[in-house]
């Protein structure tokens, strides 16, 4: 079998396994894959996305998988091209996203010979992604089994395909090496599985975990067969981290417990969700907690990390995305699935009093926080977060960047009503700032049934992946608004220890990292629509418009008062 025929065999198996989107970063060794992908896209069997930067390609695949809830493949050539996928593969590993790396490689006998662009790329991702090294001698059955296993696995996989010359097939009319199987061929994926087939997108409330369950053996309603039934009595809070999904809300509401839900949890909805939970953990309410149930992957704040690390509490933790239990202090009892409470026993008066205490404190503190924001002159990050949160209407999608934007959103987002199918996601597996533009583009392209898609990210996050805006004229483009909160540097560090006066001489250069980049000029270079806003009213107007294609909205804010703002918010709590 020629290299072209093996490439077609691999790609048709991917399509038959449910892969609808494939990202390609072209190169020489991957030529047979590239030619076949072009033909598959023309035939309508897959949707092809071509990128010139492998790191961008990897995060685009990650976003496509996040938005569509399908496995997505990313194809690279050999050498350093494969290594550039490591950040996206790491994020996919920690968030449980199905990203299938198809890395073209030189044949095994060239390894260690010094041959051009030949390195030890099989298994390069180590523990983050299992690898199957597909040699020219690998049978069709073994190749297909490897592809199917990669598509079914939660998390990333690598298929390392050794390709030998000749790499290119004959012309498109060649009988011996067609670019893609002809209609009616037994090797062609089923026409019913074309690229416009409905994808298994989430029907969850503000996230996506319910699309693939909430842990091993999840059944209807977010419960799992044999799930532990928790006794009532201890004053309990439910902590919902990234991708916890509706099971967190359902548990809190059935039990009558406060719900401490991060923005990307998929659970920040309903009356039990406490908006200012992060601030209230500095009050006497925290001292009254006796039990914590941890769902999803909480990473957002030190107060929550301190809470779930307390040895004096009963801490129960279920697996989050990627199957990892979040237990940083090794104090939790690990559960196999989301726990239950007895559905036939209503919440007790003690439960309801405990919940009302949190709700009353949250209402009072939220009012103070809103009044404080209203009194701030000009446009602040808190105004931006509030306007973005309000613009996420039912059936809308929001992609949240790491660092301050997600934390500001955490403070300013009023819990949404249930059952309105908002989709709020971010790269919270490792909470890095890299690849966010490409992730947002992928989410918007992958989630086709959405009223609108907005992304909010900081300026450093935007600049870190500005290559994501470099999209060829023939590539699919989503309707996406990117709100860039530009404070000319890394403001998150002002609230940390290094932001104190003791480190002032070094801070600006090694933490603040001002860049002075002209965002409008950068957008102009990539032919991206740009608009700048200077007030909350202007931002609200822009967000109400439906974009056509990708649009960048720059909100210039100051980071000079960031540390003082943190102190002022803390004072609201103390008062």
């Amino acid at each position: 079998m020629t290299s072209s025929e093996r490439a077609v065999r691999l790609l048709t198996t991917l399509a038959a396994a449910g892969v609808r989107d494939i990202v390609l970063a072209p190169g020489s060794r991957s030529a047979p894959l590239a030619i076949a992908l072009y033909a598959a896209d023309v035939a309508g069997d897959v949707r092809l996305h071509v990128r010139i930067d492998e790191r961008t390609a990897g995060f685009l695949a990650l976003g496509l998988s996040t938005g569509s809830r399908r496995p997505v493949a990313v194809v690279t050539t050999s050498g350093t091209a494969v290594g550039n996928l490591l950040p996206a593969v790491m994020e996919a590993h920690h968030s449980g996203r199905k990203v299938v790396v198809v890395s073209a490689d030189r044949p095994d006998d060239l390894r260690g010979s010094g041959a051009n662009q030949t390195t030890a790329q099989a298994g390069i991702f180590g523990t983050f992604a299992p690898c199957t090294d597909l040699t020219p001698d690998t049978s069709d059955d073994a190749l297909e089994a490897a592809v199917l296993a990669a598509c079914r696995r939660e998390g990333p996989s690598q298929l390392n395909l050794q390709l030998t010359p000749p790499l290119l097939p004959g012309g498109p009319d060649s009988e011996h090496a067609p670019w893609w199987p002809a209609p009616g061929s037994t090797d062609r994926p089923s026409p019913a599985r074309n690229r416009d087939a409905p994808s298994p997108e989430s029907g969850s409330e503000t996230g996506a975990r319910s699309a693939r369950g909430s842990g091993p053996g999840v059944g209807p309603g977010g419960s799992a067969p044999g799930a532990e039934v928790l006794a009532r009595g201890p004053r309990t809070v439910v902590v919902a981290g990234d991708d916890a999904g509706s099971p967190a809300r359902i548990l809190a509401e059935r039990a009558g417990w406060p719900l401490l839900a991060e923005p990307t949890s998929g659970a920040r909805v309903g009356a039990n969700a406490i908006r200012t939970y992060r601030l209230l953990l500095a009050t006497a309410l925290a001292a009254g907690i006796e039990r914590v149930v941890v769902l999803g992957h909480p990473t957002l704040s030190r107060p929550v990390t301190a809470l779930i690390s307390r040895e004096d509490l009963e801490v129960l933790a279920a697996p989050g995305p990627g199957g990892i239990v979040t237990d940083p202090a090794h104090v939790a009892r690990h559960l196999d699935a989301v726990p239950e409470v007895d559905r036939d026993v209503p919440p007790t008066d003690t439960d309801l009093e405990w919940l009302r205490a949190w709700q009353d404190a949250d209402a009072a503190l939220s009012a103070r926080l809103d009044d404080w924001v209203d009194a701030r002159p000009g446009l602040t990050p808190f105004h931006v977060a509030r306007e973005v949160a309000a613009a996420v209407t039912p059936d809308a999608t929001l992609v949240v960047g790491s660092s301050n934007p997600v934390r500001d959103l955490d403070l300013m987002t009023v819990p949404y009503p249930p059952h309105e199918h908002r989709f709020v996601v971010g790269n919270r597996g490792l909470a890095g700032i890299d690849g966010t533009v490409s992730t947002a583009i992928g989410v918007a392209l992958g989630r086709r049934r959405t009223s609108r898609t907005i992304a909010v990210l900081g300026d450093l996050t935007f600049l870190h992946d500005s290559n994501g805006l470099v999209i060829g004229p023939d590539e699919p483009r989503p309707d996406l608004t990117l709100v860039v909160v530009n404070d000319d540097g890394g403001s998150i560090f002002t609230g940390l220890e290094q932001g104190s006066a003791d480190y002032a001489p070094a801070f600006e250069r090694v933490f603040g990292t001002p860049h002075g980049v002209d965002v409008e000029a950068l957008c102009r270079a990539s032919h991206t629509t740009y608009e700048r806003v200077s007030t909350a009213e202007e931002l609200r107007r822009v967000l109400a418009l439906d974009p056509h294609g990708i649009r960048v909205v720059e909100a210039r804010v100051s980071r000079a008062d960031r540390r003082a703002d943190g102190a002022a918010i803390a004072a609201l709590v103390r008062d």
Side-chain angles (χ1 to χ4, degrees), residues 198-542:
S199 62
E201 295 171 357
S202 168
S204 63
E205 293 156 344
T206 63
R209 187 159 180 77
S210 65
R212 65 172 187 270
S214 55
V218 176
S223 61
E228 181 170 338
V229 179
L230 300 181
R232 299 184 185 276
R235 290 188 295 270
T236 304
V237 296
V238 177
V239 170
D242 181 60
D243 226 1
S246 56
R249 176 187 65 83
I250 293 169
L251 173 63
E253 290 182 352
R254 284 176 179 166
W257 296 332
L259 175 60
L260 318 185
E262 294 182 356
T264 63
S265 65
R268 197 182 179 99
V269 292
N272 290 53
I274 306 299
R275 168 186 166 186
T276 60
Y277 70 91
R278 179 156 48 107
L279 304 177
L280 292 175
L281 288 175
T283 71
L285 283 170
I289 298 173
E290 297 173 334
R291 180 170 62 187
V292 183
V293 180
V294 182
L295 306 178
H297 181 47
T299 60
L300 201 56
S301 69
R302 292 184 177 185
V304 168
T305 298
L307 172 66
I308 65 177
S309 300
R310 284 173 52 180
E311 296 183 354
D312 62 318
L313 301 181
E314 181 185 6
V315 181
L316 309 174
I324 303 298
V325 174
T326 302
D327 181 18
H330 305 286
V331 299
R333 180 162 64 85
H334 295 192
L335 306 175
D336 293 330
V338 176
E340 289 263 17
V341 291
D342 192 334
R343 303 185 190 189
D344 297 326
V345 179
T348 66
D349 289 342
T350 301
D351 291 326
L352 297 178
E353 288 172 6
W354 172 242
L355 174 61
R356 278 194 296 269
W358 281 85
Q359 290 172 325
D360 292 346
D362 183 44
L365 184 53
S366 294
R368 289 187 181 192
L369 181 60
D370 288 335
D371 289 344
W372 178 80
V373 172
D374 288 338
R376 301 278 294 162
L379 182 65
T380 72
F382 306 103
H383 291 108
V384 174
R386 182 162 63 186
E387 295 301 330
V388 167
V392 184
T393 51
D395 295 311
T397 298
L398 175 64
V399 181
V400 189
S402 295
S403 196
N404 269 334
V406 68
R407 289 167 173 81
D408 295 338
L409 199 75
D410 189 42
L411 284 181
M412 301 309 300
T413 301
V414 176
Y416 297 112
H419 312 304
E420 291 186 345
H421 308 300
R422 292 172 175 85
F423 188 80
V424 183
V425 293
N427 287 340
R428 301 304 302 172
L430 288 178
I433 67 169
D434 45 347
T436 306
V437 172
S438 298
T439 298
I441 291 171
V443 170
L445 286 169
R447 187 168 169 79
R448 303 177 191 182
R449 293 194 296 272
T450 187
S451 59
R452 62 172 53 192
T453 303
I454 301 169
V456 59
L457 59 163
D459 51 306
L460 296 185
T461 300
F462 174 74
L463 294 175
H464 205 285
D465 191 30
S466 59
N467 268 5
L469 297 178
V470 180
I471 304 173
D474 298 325
E475 301 311 309
R477 289 173 179 261
D479 295 330
L480 168 67
T481 298
L482 294 159
V483 179
V484 179
V485 190
N486 186 1
D487 57 15
D488 193 31
S491 63
I492 191 170
F493 299 111
T494 61
L496 303 178
E497 293 81 356
Q498 56 264 54
S500 69
D502 294 342
Y503 306 101
F507 181 87
E508 191 67 0
R509 183 177 181 192
V510 300
F511 294 109
T513 58
H515 49 78
V517 171
D518 185 335
V519 173
E520 181 178 8
L522 188 63
C523 291
R524 196 161 54 243
S526 60
H527 307 289
T528 303
T529 302
Y530 167 90
E531 187 163 353
R532 178 178 171 181
V533 296
S534 56
T535 68
E537 291 74 20
E538 289 178 359
L539 178 58
R540 188 180 312 135
R541 174 187 60 79
V542 171

